Coordinates of all heavy atoms in Angstrom, one line a residue:
K123 N -10.7 12.6 -0.4 CA -10.7 14.0 0.1 C -11.7 14.2 1.3 O -11.8 15.3 1.8 CB -11.1 14.9 -1.0 CG -12.4 14.6 -1.7 CD -12.6 15.4 -3.0 CE -13.9 15.1 -3.7 NZ -14.1 15.8 -4.9
D124 N -12.5 13.1 1.7 CA -13.5 13.2 2.7 C -13.0 12.4 4.0 O -13.1 11.2 3.9 CB -14.8 12.7 2.2 CG -16.0 12.9 3.2 OD1 -15.7 12.8 4.4 OD2 -17.1 13.0 2.8
P125 N -12.6 13.1 5.0 CA -12.1 12.3 6.2 C -13.1 11.4 6.8 O -12.7 10.3 7.3 CB -11.6 13.5 7.1 CG -11.4 14.7 6.3 CD -12.4 14.5 5.2
K126 N -14.3 11.8 6.9 CA -15.4 11.0 7.6 C -15.6 9.7 6.7 O -15.8 8.6 7.3 CB -16.6 11.8 7.8 CG -16.5 12.9 8.8 CD -17.8 13.6 9.1 CE -17.7 14.7 10.1 NZ -19.0 15.4 10.4
L127 N -15.7 9.9 5.4 CA -16.0 8.7 4.6 C -14.8 7.8 4.6 O -14.9 6.6 4.7 CB -16.3 9.1 3.2 CG -16.5 8.0 2.2 CD1 -17.8 7.2 2.5 CD2 -16.7 8.6 0.7
S128 N -13.6 8.4 4.5 CA -12.4 7.5 4.5 C -12.2 6.8 5.9 O -11.8 5.6 5.9 CB -11.1 8.4 4.3 OG -10.9 9.4 5.3
Q129 N -12.6 7.4 7.0 CA -12.5 6.8 8.3 C -13.5 5.6 8.3 O -13.2 4.5 8.8 CB -12.9 7.8 9.4 CG -13.1 7.1 10.8 CD -11.9 6.4 11.3 OE1 -10.8 6.9 11.0 NE2 -12.1 5.4 12.1
A130 N -14.7 5.7 7.7 CA -15.7 4.7 7.7 C -15.2 3.5 6.9 O -15.3 2.3 7.3 CB -17.0 5.2 7.2
I131 N -14.6 3.7 5.8 CA -14.1 2.7 4.9 C -12.9 2.0 5.6 O -12.9 0.7 5.6 CB -13.6 3.3 3.5 CG1 -14.8 3.8 2.8 CG2 -12.9 2.2 2.7 CD1 -14.5 4.6 1.5
A132 N -12.0 2.7 6.1 CA -10.8 2.1 6.8 C -11.3 1.3 8.0 O -10.7 0.2 8.3 CB -9.8 3.2 7.2
Q133 N -12.3 1.8 8.7 CA -12.8 1.0 9.9 C -13.4 -0.3 9.5 O -13.2 -1.3 10.1 CB -13.8 1.9 10.6 CG -14.1 1.3 12.0 CD -13.0 1.4 13.0 OE1 -12.4 2.5 13.2 NE2 -12.6 0.3 13.6
A134 N -14.1 -0.3 8.3 CA -14.7 -1.5 7.8 C -13.6 -2.6 7.5 O -13.8 -3.7 7.8 CB -15.6 -1.2 6.6
V135 N -12.6 -2.1 6.9 CA -11.5 -3.0 6.5 C -10.8 -3.5 7.8 O -10.6 -4.7 7.9 CB -10.4 -2.2 5.7 CG1 -9.2 -3.1 5.4 CG2 -11.0 -1.8 4.3
Y136 N -10.5 -2.6 8.7 CA -9.9 -3.0 10.0 C -10.8 -4.0 10.8 O -10.3 -5.0 11.3 CB -9.6 -1.8 10.8 CG -8.9 -2.1 12.1 CD1 -7.5 -2.1 12.1 CD2 -9.6 -2.3 13.3 CE1 -6.8 -2.4 13.3 CE2 -8.9 -2.6 14.5 CZ -7.5 -2.7 14.5 OH -6.9 -3.0 15.6
D137 N -12.1 -3.7 10.9 CA -12.9 -4.6 11.6 C -13.1 -6.0 11.0 O -13.3 -7.0 11.7 CB -14.3 -4.0 11.8 CG -14.3 -2.8 12.7 OD1 -13.3 -2.5 13.4 OD2 -15.3 -2.0 12.8
Y138 N -13.0 -6.0 9.7 CA -13.1 -7.3 9.0 C -11.8 -8.1 9.2 O -11.8 -9.3 9.6 CB -13.4 -7.2 7.5 CG -13.7 -8.5 6.9 CD1 -15.0 -9.1 6.9 CD2 -12.7 -9.3 6.3 CE1 -15.2 -10.3 6.4 CE2 -12.9 -10.5 5.8 CZ -14.2 -11.0 5.8 OH -14.4 -12.3 5.3
N139 N -10.7 -7.5 8.9 CA -9.4 -8.2 9.1 C -8.3 -7.1 9.0 O -8.0 -6.6 8.0 CB -9.2 -9.2 7.9 CG -7.9 -9.9 8.0 OD1 -7.0 -9.6 8.9 ND2 -7.6 -10.9 7.1
P140 N -7.7 -6.8 10.2 CA -6.7 -5.8 10.2 C -5.4 -6.2 9.5 O -4.5 -5.3 9.3 CB -6.4 -5.6 11.7 CG -6.8 -6.9 12.3 CD -8.0 -7.4 11.5
D141 N -5.3 -7.4 9.0 CA -4.1 -7.8 8.2 C -4.3 -7.4 6.7 O -3.3 -7.6 5.9 CB -3.8 -9.3 8.3 CG -3.4 -9.6 9.7 OD1 -2.7 -8.8 10.4 OD2 -3.7 -10.8 10.2
L142 N -5.5 -7.0 6.3 CA -5.7 -6.6 4.9 C -4.9 -5.3 4.6 O -4.8 -4.4 5.4 CB -7.1 -6.4 4.6 CG -8.0 -7.7 4.6 CD1 -9.5 -7.3 4.5 CD2 -7.6 -8.6 3.5
V143 N -4.4 -5.2 3.3 CA -3.8 -4.0 2.9 C -4.9 -3.1 2.3 O -5.8 -3.6 1.6 CB -2.7 -4.3 1.8 CG1 -2.0 -3.0 1.3 CG2 -1.7 -5.3 2.3
L144 N -4.8 -1.8 2.6 CA -5.8 -0.8 2.1 C -5.1 0.0 1.0 O -4.1 0.6 1.2 CB -6.2 0.1 3.2 CG -7.2 1.2 2.8 CD1 -8.5 0.6 2.3 CD2 -7.5 2.1 4.1
F145 N -5.7 -0.1 -0.2 CA -5.3 0.7 -1.3 C -6.0 2.0 -1.4 O -7.2 2.1 -1.2 CB -5.5 0.0 -2.7 CG -4.6 -1.1 -3.0 CD1 -3.9 -1.8 -2.0 CD2 -4.5 -1.6 -4.3 CE1 -3.1 -2.9 -2.4 CE2 -3.7 -2.7 -4.7 CZ -3.0 -3.3 -3.7
G146 N -5.3 3.1 -1.6 CA -5.9 4.4 -1.7 C -5.1 5.4 -2.6 O -3.9 5.2 -2.8
L147 N -5.7 6.5 -3.0 CA -5.0 7.5 -3.8 C -3.8 8.0 -3.0 O -4.0 8.4 -1.8 CB -6.0 8.6 -4.2 CG -5.4 9.7 -5.1 CD1 -5.2 9.1 -6.5 CD2 -6.3 10.9 -5.2
A148 N -2.7 8.1 -3.7 CA -1.5 8.6 -3.0 C -1.7 9.9 -2.4 O -2.2 10.9 -3.1 CB -0.3 8.6 -4.0
G149 N -1.4 10.1 -1.1 CA -1.5 11.3 -0.4 C -2.9 11.7 0.0 O -3.1 12.8 0.5
G150 N -3.9 10.8 -0.2 CA -5.3 11.1 0.1 C -5.7 10.8 1.5 O -5.0 10.2 2.3
C151 N -6.9 11.2 1.8 CA -7.5 11.0 3.2 C -7.6 9.5 3.5 O -7.4 9.1 4.7 CB -8.8 11.6 3.3 SG -8.8 13.4 3.3
L152 N -7.8 8.6 2.6 CA -8.0 7.2 2.9 C -6.7 6.6 3.4 O -6.7 5.8 4.3 CB -8.5 6.5 1.6 CG -8.9 5.0 1.9 CD1 -10.0 4.8 2.9 CD2 -9.4 4.3 0.6
I153 N -5.6 7.0 2.8 CA -4.3 6.5 3.3 C -4.1 7.0 4.7 O -3.6 6.2 5.6 CB -3.2 7.0 2.3 CG1 -3.3 6.4 0.9 CG2 -1.8 6.7 2.9 CD1 -3.2 4.9 0.9
D154 N -4.4 8.3 5.0 CA -4.3 8.8 6.4 C -5.1 8.0 7.3 O -4.6 7.6 8.4 CB -4.6 10.3 6.4 CG -3.7 11.2 5.7 OD1 -2.5 10.7 5.5 OD2 -4.0 12.3 5.3
A155 N -6.4 7.7 7.0 CA -7.3 7.0 7.9 C -6.8 5.6 8.1 O -6.8 5.1 9.3 CB -8.7 7.0 7.3
G156 N -6.3 4.9 7.1 CA -5.8 3.6 7.3 C -4.6 3.5 8.1 O -4.4 2.7 9.0
T157 N -3.7 4.5 7.9 CA -2.4 4.5 8.6 C -2.7 4.7 10.1 O -2.1 4.1 11.0 CB -1.5 5.6 8.1 OG1 -1.2 5.3 6.7 CG2 -0.2 5.7 8.9
K158 N -3.7 5.6 10.4 CA -4.0 5.9 11.8 C -4.6 4.7 12.5 O -4.4 4.5 13.8 CB -5.0 7.1 11.9 CG -4.3 8.4 11.6 CD -5.4 9.5 11.6 CE -4.7 10.9 11.2 NZ -5.7 12.0 11.1
L159 N -5.2 3.8 11.8 CA -5.8 2.6 12.4 C -4.8 1.5 12.5 O -5.0 0.5 13.1 CB -7.0 2.1 11.6 CG -8.3 2.8 11.8 CD1 -9.4 2.3 10.8 CD2 -8.8 2.7 13.2
G160 N -3.6 1.7 11.9 CA -2.6 0.7 11.9 C -2.6 -0.3 10.8 O -1.9 -1.3 10.8
L161 N -3.4 0.0 9.8 CA -3.5 -0.9 8.6 C -2.2 -0.6 7.7 O -1.7 0.5 7.7 CB -4.7 -0.5 7.7 CG -6.1 -0.9 8.3 CD1 -7.2 -0.2 7.5 CD2 -6.3 -2.4 8.3
R162 N -1.8 -1.7 7.0 CA -0.8 -1.5 6.0 C -1.5 -0.8 4.8 O -2.6 -1.3 4.4 CB -0.2 -2.8 5.5 CG 0.8 -3.4 6.5 CD 1.6 -4.5 5.9 NE 0.8 -5.6 5.4 CZ 1.0 -6.2 4.2 NH1 1.9 -5.8 3.4 NH2 0.2 -7.2 3.9
C163 N -0.9 0.2 4.3 CA -1.6 0.9 3.2 C -0.6 1.0 2.0 O 0.6 1.0 2.1 CB -1.9 2.4 3.6 SG -3.1 2.5 4.9
A164 N -1.2 0.9 0.8 CA -0.5 1.0 -0.5 C -1.0 2.2 -1.2 O -2.2 2.3 -1.6 CB -0.7 -0.2 -1.3
Q165 N -0.1 3.2 -1.4 CA -0.4 4.4 -2.1 C -0.4 4.2 -3.6 O 0.5 3.6 -4.2 CB 0.5 5.5 -1.8 CG 0.6 5.8 -0.3 CD 1.1 7.2 0.0 OE1 0.5 8.2 -0.4 NE2 2.2 7.3 0.8
E166 N -1.5 4.5 -4.3 CA -1.8 4.1 -5.6 C -1.6 5.2 -6.6 O -2.0 6.4 -6.4 CB -3.2 3.6 -5.7 CG -3.5 3.0 -7.1 CD -4.9 2.3 -7.1 OE1 -5.8 2.8 -6.5 OE2 -5.0 1.2 -7.7
F167 N -1.0 4.9 -7.8 CA -0.8 5.7 -8.9 C -1.5 5.2 -10.1 O -1.4 4.0 -10.4 CB 0.7 5.9 -9.2 CG 1.0 6.7 -10.4 CD1 0.8 8.0 -10.5 CD2 1.5 6.0 -11.6 CE1 1.1 8.8 -11.7 CE2 1.8 6.7 -12.7 CZ 1.6 8.1 -12.8
F168 N -2.2 6.0 -10.9 CA -2.9 5.5 -12.0 C -2.2 5.7 -13.3 O -1.9 6.9 -13.7 CB -4.3 6.2 -12.1 CG -5.2 5.8 -11.0 CD1 -5.2 6.3 -9.7 CD2 -6.2 4.8 -11.3 CE1 -6.0 5.9 -8.7 CE2 -7.0 4.4 -10.3 CZ -6.9 4.9 -9.0
A169 N -1.9 4.6 -14.0 CA -1.1 4.7 -15.2 C -1.9 5.3 -16.4 O -1.3 5.9 -17.3 CB -0.6 3.3 -15.6
D170 N -3.2 5.2 -16.3 CA -4.0 5.6 -17.5 C -4.9 6.8 -17.2 O -5.9 7.1 -17.9 CB -4.9 4.4 -17.9 CG -5.7 3.8 -16.8 OD1 -5.8 4.4 -15.7 OD2 -6.3 2.7 -17.0
R171 N -4.5 7.6 -16.1 CA -5.3 8.8 -15.8 C -4.4 10.0 -15.6 O -3.2 9.9 -15.1 CB -6.1 8.6 -14.5 CG -7.2 7.5 -14.5 CD -8.3 8.0 -15.4 NE -8.9 9.3 -15.0 CZ -9.8 9.4 -14.0 NH1 -10.2 8.3 -13.4 NH2 -10.3 10.6 -13.7
N172 N -4.9 11.2 -16.0 CA -4.1 12.4 -15.8 C -4.4 13.0 -14.4 O -5.5 12.7 -13.8 CB -4.5 13.4 -16.8 CG -3.5 13.4 -18.0 OD1 -2.3 13.4 -17.8 ND2 -4.0 13.5 -19.2
Y173 N -3.5 13.7 -13.9 CA -3.5 14.3 -12.5 C -3.6 15.8 -12.6 O -3.1 16.5 -13.5 CB -2.3 13.9 -11.7 CG -2.3 12.5 -11.2 CD1 -2.2 11.4 -12.0 CD2 -2.6 12.3 -9.8 CE1 -2.2 10.1 -11.5 CE2 -2.6 11.0 -9.3 CZ -2.5 9.9 -10.2 OH -2.5 8.6 -9.7
T174 N -4.3 16.4 -11.6 CA -4.3 17.8 -11.4 C -3.1 18.2 -10.6 O -2.4 17.4 -10.1 CB -5.6 18.2 -10.6 OG1 -5.5 17.7 -9.3 CG2 -6.8 17.7 -11.3
A175 N -2.9 19.5 -10.4 CA -1.7 20.0 -9.7 C -1.7 19.6 -8.2 O -0.7 19.6 -7.5 CB -1.6 21.5 -9.8
D176 N -2.9 19.3 -7.6 CA -3.0 19.0 -6.2 C -2.9 17.5 -6.0 O -3.1 17.0 -4.9 CB -4.2 19.5 -5.5 CG -5.5 18.9 -6.1 OD1 -5.5 18.0 -7.0 OD2 -6.6 19.3 -5.6
G177 N -2.6 16.7 -7.0 CA -2.3 15.3 -6.9 C -3.6 14.4 -7.0 O -3.5 13.2 -6.7
T178 N -4.7 15.0 -7.3 CA -6.0 14.3 -7.5 C -6.2 14.0 -9.0 O -5.5 14.6 -9.9 CB -7.2 15.0 -7.0 OG1 -7.3 16.3 -7.6 CG2 -7.0 15.2 -5.4

Side-chain angles (χ1 to χ4, degrees):
K123 58 188 178 183
D124 185 329
K126 290 183 179 179
L127 180 62
S128 63
Q129 170 61 34
I131 294 170
Q133 193 68 55
V135 175
Y136 183 88
D137 289 350
Y138 188 84
N139 180 355
D141 291 329
L142 292 170
V143 182
L144 178 60
F145 285 20
L147 185 70
C151 289
L152 187 58
I153 295 296
D154 290 339
T157 300
K158 287 176 182 176
L159 281 174
L161 290 167
R162 283 196 301 137
C163 295
Q165 302 202 61
E166 186 170 42
F167 173 71
F168 288 83
D170 52 11
R171 293 292 303 278
N172 264 316
Y173 281 74
T174 66
D176 66 1
T178 58

